[in-house]
Amino acid sequence: MADDIFTEVDEEIRAERIRALARRYLAVAGAVVAVVCIGAGGWQYSVSRAHKADAAVSAAYFTAMQDATRAPDNAGTDGALTARQKTGLQELAALDGRARPPLRILARMERAALLAGSGSLPAALALWDGVAQEHATDPVIASLASLLWVQHQIDSGDPATLRSRLAVLDGAGQPWRAQAIEAEAMLDLRTGKEADARARLERLTMDMSVTDGVRNRAEAMLQTMGADAGG
C-alpha cells in the first residue's frame, strides 16, 4: 500500500525539481549577463569559457535524462532497466565529476530514482542520503532527498530512525511538510498506532494548504481504514 501511495508523489517531486533547476539557472544566467556587461578582455574570455562548459554539461544532462526516462515500447514491467536506461544511468554518473550544482545534485537524484525502481535500493538510499547531507544542495532538494530516503524504507526501516528524519521535515514552513506527515501516518499504521495515523490523515484532509494529491490520498486512506474497521 505504501508503494502505491508514494508512487503518486513522483509527479509532484519531478515538477519541484524542474522548478528548482529553473530558479538556479535563471540566477546563473543573470550573473553571467552582469559579468559580461561589466567585465572586459580576459574576464569576458573566462566567462565565455565557463558558460560554454556549463552549456555542454547541461546538454549532456538532458541527453542522459532522455536515455534514462524514455523506455522503448517493448520494455518489460519487472522493474529491470532497459539498455537505454542503463546508458542513461552511466551518463548521469559520468556527470558527477563534471557538473556543478544544481545539475550534479539533480543527476544524483535521477540516478537514485532509477536505481530504486530497478531494485538497487541500497545504492539509491546512499545517493539520497548523500544529497541530503551535502552543503551545496538547495534546501528544497535536500529535504526531498531525505523524504525519499524515508519513504522507501517505510515498510522495513527502523521506526525510530525514520521518525527522527520525519520530525525535521514535518514542521511549519517545511517544503515537504504534508508528504512527511503522510509518511508518518504510514509509519503509525505499520507500528500499530492506528489512532495516531487517523489523526494525522484527518489533519491533512482539513489543511487547505496541502496539494490535492496529498489530500485525496489522505481521504482514501481514511475511507479504507473505516471500511476495515467496519468489516
Side-chain angles (χ1 to χ4, degrees):
M1 179 178 296
D3 289 341
D4 293 337
I5 290 172
F6 294 136
T7 296
E8 297 183 27
V9 182
D10 288 346
E11 291 185 2
E12 300 171 18
I13 288 172
R14 186 174 296 277
E16 182 58 41
R17 286 204 299 270
I18 292 172
R19 287 194 292 270
L21 176 63
R23 287 196 298 270
R24 278 297 183 89
Y25 270 84
L26 284 173
V28 170
V32 169
V33 170
V35 171
V36 170
C37 289
I38 296 172
W43 278 109
Q44 288 187 5
Y45 177 71
S46 297
V47 170
S48 176
R49 287 190 60 185
H51 184 67
K52 288 180 180 178
D54 283 346
V57 171
S58 298
Y61 170 80
F62 286 109
T63 296
M65 284 297 300
Q66 288 180 338
D67 289 333
T69 59
R70 293 184 183 177
D73 293 338
N74 60 352
T77 58
D78 58 356
L81 295 178
T82 65
R84 187 170 182 180
Q85 287 174 321
K86 289 178 181 178
T87 298
L89 186 62
Q90 293 171 349
E91 292 169 338
L92 289 168
L95 290 173
D96 210 65
R98 297 173 55 200
R100 296 185 295 175
L103 280 186
R104 184 178 72 239
I105 303 302
L106 292 175
R108 290 177 183 175
M109 293 290 285
E110 295 296 346
R111 285 168 58 200
L114 280 171
L115 290 167
S118 65
S120 300
L121 186 57
L125 292 174
L127 281 170
W128 281 320
D129 194 42
V131 168
Q133 303 300 327
E134 183 168 337
H135 73 278
T137 305
D138 182 281
V140 172
I141 303 299
S143 295
L144 172 58
S146 190
L147 174 67
L148 289 168
W149 186 88
V150 170
Q151 286 180 338
H152 283 78
Q153 300 181 86
I154 283 292
D155 293 330
S156 59
D158 174 62
T161 301
L162 300 181
R163 287 192 189 281
S164 67
R165 285 277 188 122
L166 290 171
V168 178
L169 302 173
D170 71 357
Q174 291 297 314
W176 304 99
R177 173 178 171 273
Q179 289 84 355
I181 294 174
E182 183 180 29
E184 286 172 325
M186 298 301 101
L187 191 56
D188 287 334
L189 289 175
R190 173 191 160 191
T191 55
K193 299 179 179 180
E194 184 172 329
D196 291 341
R198 187 182 299 276
R200 295 185 199 278
L201 293 170
E202 288 175 347
R203 283 172 56 197
L204 291 175
T205 63
M206 295 184 291
D207 189 344
M208 293 299 104
S209 67
V210 306
T211 64
D212 290 341
V214 171
R215 189 180 302 106
N216 291 340
R217 288 193 298 271
E219 291 173 350
M221 280 300 303
L222 286 170
Q223 290 176 1
T224 299
M225 292 168 66
D228 290 344

